[in-house]
Amino acid sequence: MNMDHYCVMGNPVAHSQSPWIHARFAELTGQTLHYGRRLVAADGFADAVRAFAAEGGKGCNVTVPFKFEAPALAQHASERVLLAQAANTLSFSPEGIVADNTDGIGLVQDIRANAGFDLRGRQVLLIGAGGAAAGVLGPLILAQPTGITVANRTTSKARALVERHTPLAMLHRVALQTSALDTVPGAFDLVVNATISSLSGASSPVSASALKPETLVYDMMYGPAAQPFLNWARAHGAQARDGLGMLVEQAAEAFSLWRGVRPASAQVLAELRQRLAA
Ligand code: ATR
């Protein structure tokens, strides 16, 4: 390979925006690289990663359903991978495969930099306790809100997730608690939906008593899948934001890890919004 190659591996992967995002980052930073996509068979992830590394690939992003398999392939993993128990970014180095997870920092960066919302001193509700929620709880703690409540349909999963993050939360003086969906305590400054309940047509997994007029309501999905929840938020007077910025910001963090240079992510987010609206 005469230029550095990267790709996104997933199943499905045809509609991934990552190749376009990384190509734009490369143009804007003057980097020469190729970023492709690889559709990987359900039982073929480890082989696909090893094959790409053997071909001289420099690294890959990992998406559904392989994020949970990715850490086991790595010789080195970041703290955020250990907390999330999942990885979305692999780097191939002479010392082996390095695993990282940029999803959570992508969410925090989009909320902080693109939405202009300061998390410090705020009360946060994280709805869900699956892979998507696990990927963001650590970086949400590091952003130092006053408290984070994790609410999930299956409360035992919320408790396990919170337990794993308790040392980090104590270190950063963030109060962590769990809740059932129908007994969410009080109203929040930020509400993040990390469930897939919208896919079954439900509007919101929690009641509107979780909202205040100035609450920022965030769905980690984008496009039609995010709309029921965001429409519900708007109908109750809250600010609504989809996860497109998170997608671009997690990519920007991966690009920085690989290339050592930060792309103009806000510009690429604006361009991607226009592209998807067209
Ligand atoms: P992901 O990796 O996308 O997070 P997941 O690990 O299957 O996928 O987690 C899906 C999340 O959506 C879980 O929090 C799940 O709740 P349970 O842990 O109780 O299964 C939540 N979820 C899925 N369907 C839901 C629904 N109809 N109402 C509320 N929560 C739902």
Side-chain angles (χ1 to χ4, degrees):
M1 294 187 187
N2 59 0
M3 71 167 85
D4 290 348
H5 280 238
Y6 301 86
C7 70
V8 56
M9 293 192 186
N11 188 344
V13 81
H15 295 99
S16 171
Q17 299 296 328
S18 291
W20 183 87
I21 293 170
H22 281 277
R24 249 342 249 142
F25 287 168
E27 271 170 19
L28 292 171
T29 56
Q31 301 269 309
T32 305
L33 59 84
H34 179 269
Y35 187 110
R37 72 180 91 226
R38 290 196 175 191
L39 176 65
V40 175
D43 60 353
F45 180 63
D47 287 344
V49 170
R50 287 192 198 105
F52 190 50
E55 288 165 29
K58 296 290 180 193
C60 64
N61 285 130
V62 182
T63 188
V64 173
F66 301 119
K67 288 183 187 184
F68 306 104
E69 277 183 59
L73 299 181
Q75 281 69 48
H76 309 275
S78 68
E79 188 186 16
R80 29 196 203 194
V81 169
L82 302 180
L83 283 169
Q85 297 184 344
N88 76 334
T89 303
L90 300 179
S91 307
F92 305 149
S93 77
E95 293 78 41
I97 297 178
V98 182
D100 209 330
N101 192 321
T102 66
D103 282 332
I105 191 65
L107 170 72
V108 168
Q109 183 67 6
D110 185 47
I111 289 171
R112 216 162 28 199
N114 299 330
F117 182 95
D118 186 358
L119 279 143
R120 282 169 304 179
R122 307 298 192 114
Q123 287 291 349
V124 177
L125 175 63
L126 177 62
I127 313 171
V136 301
L137 184 54
L140 278 175
I141 291 168
L142 293 178
Q144 293 193 299
T146 304
I148 304 175
T149 300
V150 180
N152 196 44
R153 184 175 61 179
T154 311
T155 45
S156 59
K157 281 172 67 181
R159 280 199 296 277
L161 185 59
V162 159
E163 215 163 89
R164 200 159 85 223
H165 286 77
T166 296
L168 186 70
M170 287 176 76
L171 196 61
H172 292 277
R173 296 170 188 269
V174 178
L176 274 190
Q177 63 176 339
T178 61
S179 162
L181 292 176
D182 56 359
T183 54
V184 162
F188 296 83
D189 303 302
L190 170 68
V191 174
V192 178
N193 186 12
T195 74
I196 51 169
S197 72
S198 292
L199 297 181
S200 55
S203 61
S204 169
V206 299
S207 97
S209 62
L211 304 180
K212 301 187 273 190
E214 67 277 21
T215 299
L216 175 61
V217 174
Y218 199 103
D219 198 303
M220 284 171 51
M221 292 194 266
Y222 64 89
Q227 290 318 307
F229 184 66
L230 298 182
N231 288 341
W232 166 84
R234 285 188 199 100
H236 290 92
Q239 297 178 57
R241 188 169 179 86
D242 70 8
L244 196 65
M246 176 180 171
L247 175 73
V248 172
E249 295 297 346
Q250 64 76 26
E253 186 71 16
F255 190 92
S256 302
L257 289 170
W258 288 329
R259 309 302 297 181
V261 50
R262 271 212 88 77
S265 47
Q267 177 186 336
V268 173
L269 172 58
E271 291 175 1
L272 182 58
R273 269 205 199 286
Q274 283 203 330
R275 195 177 130 83
L276 293 180

